[in-house]
Amino acid sequence: MKRIRTIAYRYRLMTNILALVLLLGALAVTPAEAGDMEVEGGWDICSTGCINWNKQDGCVTCQHCCSDKAGRYECWELQSNACA
């Protein structure tokens, strides 16, 4: 038991440095941008959400909003059953 403890303490600094290098390497990788995905109609980013909710019926009104790289932003109302 004492030998296991000795080996663990001996390599503790090396394993901590290795863990730090791995974490810094993960931070250095550039993530993909949300605007990289093109959707039909020239819009870059689209989302759908409930904008009117009540306790009896749940979601009553849904809205679908999209934006593009030029800065245009438009929203459309959808039927409540399309807000899945």
Side-chain angles (χ1 to χ4, degrees), residues 11-24:
Y11 295 107
R12 195 168 91 185
L13 177 62
M14 188 171 57
T15 55
N16 285 344
I17 291 172
L18 180 62
L20 180 63
V21 167
L22 288 174
L23 289 174
L24 290 176

Side-chain angles (χ1 to χ4, degrees), residues 24-61:
L24 290 176
L27 287 174
V29 175
T30 306
E33 292 183 19
D36 288 346
M37 298 186 323
E38 291 286 332
V39 294
E40 62 182 80
W43 298 104
D44 293 319
I45 303 170
C46 293
S47 64
T48 303
C50 184
I51 58 170
N52 188 10
W53 185 88
N54 64 38
K55 188 175 182 179
Q56 284 104 357
D57 301 322
C59 187
V60 179
T61 309

